[in-house]
Amino acid sequence: QVHLEESGGGVVQPGGSLRLSCTASGFIFRRHGMHWVRQAPGKGLEWVAFIKYDGSIKYYADSVKGRFTVSRDDSENALYLQMNSLRTEDTAVYYCAKDYGVFGTGGAFLDYWGQGTLVIVSS
Amino acid sequence: QSVLTQPPSASGTPGQRVTISCSGSSSNIAKNNVYWYQQLPGTAPKLLIQKNDQRPSGVPDRISGSKSGTSASLAIGGLRSEDEADYYCAAWDDSLSGPVFGGGTKLTVL
């Protein structure tokens, strides 16, 4: 049974940093790309970042490019999102999601999602 | 503003059939598969339709998806109270090198 669990959310001041984690179980983590998707309070879903199964390709939304970095540790079955230079508009629930493709290069096929972790950027 | 366009709301009475549209462009829906996600209140999104018209295991056959050109649609027949949720379409965008989502449609069962 696939399980994804995010952690690391909290309250941070504008300009600050935060590192989110996502631990995965129930599937062969190293064979799948992983996504971060966020949802601002009362708003829709916004894709944030993707990392290929082997970490060789990373894609970012324009809104976070240059500020956020996605990474993974296959030995720990873990996905990370390092968020720097945070802005108030980054306030959201951040979800990690598994990409369906085995050894894939990314897509919109997100077959499992975690429950999310809330990040609040406020002074 | 979302890359994919959905109506913000839809509604129907129990037993009715409701359709939600999703409009995109040549860089996303026209060239790539469309996916639909259901988000029940207070929960994480869940995959509802994969690859335009395929239902994952456990999704009832009263729910269906279709795609034509730069548009897609989600149909829910035999509407039930538990269908009240937000629905999002998504597709890979070749120009943006990432998946794009619609703004979401809030479905109300009257």
Side-chain angles (χ1 to χ4, degrees):
Chain A
Q1 183 178 349
V2 173
H3 184 69
L4 300 169
E5 185 167 346
E6 304 89 342
S7 60
V11 181
V12 60
Q13 291 189 334
S17 298
L18 209 56
R19 188 198 198 204
L20 305 183
S21 300
C22 169
T23 56
S25 62
F27 66 101
I28 303 175
F29 183 74
R30 66 180 183 278
R31 293 185 179 179
H32 290 270
M34 297 293 294
H35 298 263
W36 286 101
V37 178
R38 68 184 180 183
Q39 186 170 35
K43 302 297 184 182
L45 301 173
E46 179 190 16
W47 171 79
V48 173
F50 166 80
I51 183 168
K52 196 179 169 186
Y53 66 93
D54 59 0
S56 62
I57 291 178
K58 302 175 184 180
Y59 296 126
Y60 298 94
D62 286 344
S63 58
V64 306
K65 205 170 289 182
R67 301 187 299 122
F68 289 12
T69 302
V70 60
S71 62
R72 61 189 297 155
D73 182 344
D74 291 346
S75 68
E76 297 288 335
N77 281 3
L79 174 73
Y80 303 103
L81 186 68
Q82 178 65 45
M83 305 186 295
N84 298 331
S85 303
L86 282 161
R87 306 168 180 167
T88 55
E89 55 263 37
D90 295 319
T91 294
V93 173
Y94 285 74
Y95 297 101
C96 66
K98 170 184 168 287
D99 193 273
Y100 173 82
V102 176
F103 302 129
T105 56
F109 196 160
L110 282 57
D111 59 348
Y112 290 93
W113 299 60
Q115 286 305 303
T117 187
L118 177 61
V119 172
I120 298 174
V121 184
S122 173
S123 55
Chain B
Q1 189 155 352
S2 303
V3 174
L4 305 182
T5 302
Q6 297 179 235
S9 63
S11 64
T13 57
Q16 269 191 330
R17 184 175 186 270
V18 170
T19 300
I20 297 172
S21 63
C22 175
S23 177
S25 69
S26 59
S27 63
N28 43 65
I29 290 180
K31 293 180 182 176
N32 299 297
N33 290 320
V34 176
Y35 301 83
W36 289 90
Y37 297 90
Q38 178 194 55
Q39 188 175 32
L40 296 169
T43 70
K46 168 194 154 188
L47 180 66
L48 193 66
I49 292 289
Q50 62 196 38
K51 296 184 180 180
N52 306 318
D53 57 9
Q54 298 175 9
R55 286 182 300 274
S57 174
V59 175
D61 60 6
R62 61 186 182 85
I63 293 174
S64 62
S66 63
K67 179 185 121 170
S68 178
T70 60
S71 295
S73 63
L74 174 72
I76 303 176
L79 207 56
R80 305 170 68 158
S81 58
E82 56 259 42
D83 295 326
E84 273 210 349
D86 293 323
Y87 293 85
Y88 296 89
C89 59
W92 183 264
D93 192 291
D94 292 338
S95 297
L96 300 175
S97 293
V100 290
F101 287 93
T105 299
K106 184 176 184 62
L107 175 61
T108 301
V109 180
L110 302 169

